[in-house]
Amino acid sequence: MLKIMVNYDFLEALIFEDHQKHETANKIVNAIQKNYYLYIPSHVLFNIMENLGKYDYDTNIKFLENIHMTTRIDYQINKQIFQSAYELFKSNDSLSFLDCITIKYMKSKEIKHIISFNEQFDQIKGIKRLYKLDEYNSKQLNFNNYLKSK
């Protein structure tokens, strides 16, 4: 079982049809296998929920049902994670505070993989960013080939 963090930018692209990376996000979803264990920490879900007001009730319900059926939502952003995220944020001016929380959360849960369009995660030791479609960025790995090699 592969544990994978799902980041805000990926979910945003997946949910909102007008997002420039919506098509790519849909292709990534098709590459996710049933035996992968997807995590969405509460801070990521809360940010997505703020934007759901743009869509009609049925679209929102469909999204929430899909999240409920396919992911594990964890509310364990404790004081220790928050404090260590703050320390990382103060020492690194290229990461947002939410990215720092995600990094510290991943390390606390021993999650080594993240689906994200944010290239800043490529610089974090112990975290591998998973994505698909080499033609979008020549530096990117191919999601399918990477996972097949595991």
Side-chain angles (χ1 to χ4, degrees), residues 20-37:
Q20 66 182 9
K21 295 194 177 192
H22 178 72
E23 183 179 325
T24 304
N26 275 315
K27 290 178 181 178
I28 291 172
V29 165
N30 290 327
I32 296 172
Q33 298 177 16
K34 289 182 181 182
N35 62 337
Y36 298 165
Y37 204 66

Side-chain angles (χ1 to χ4, degrees), residues 97-114:
F97 184 61
L98 289 177
D99 290 342
C100 293
I101 292 174
T102 298
I103 291 164
K104 293 302 182 175
Y105 172 83
M106 288 178 69
K107 293 190 183 270
S108 75
K109 293 288 187 181
E110 298 179 358
I111 300 171
K112 297 180 180 0
H113 300 90
I114 187 168

Side-chain angles (χ1 to χ4, degrees), residues 26-74:
N26 275 315
K27 290 178 181 178
I28 291 172
V29 165
N30 290 327
I32 296 172
Q33 298 177 16
K34 289 182 181 182
N35 62 337
Y36 298 165
Y37 204 66
L38 303 179
Y39 283 80
I40 301 177
S42 56
H43 69 280
V44 170
L45 186 61
F46 292 149
N47 279 317
I48 288 297
M49 300 284 283
E50 287 181 17
N51 289 319
L52 285 179
K54 299 177 186 176
Y55 292 88
D56 63 79
Y57 178 79
D58 290 335
T59 302
N60 291 344
I61 292 300
K62 183 178 177 184
F63 164 71
L64 293 172
E65 286 174 351
N66 286 337
I67 291 294
H68 175 70
M69 296 299 291
T70 59
T71 62
R72 178 177 182 85
I73 299 170
D74 194 343

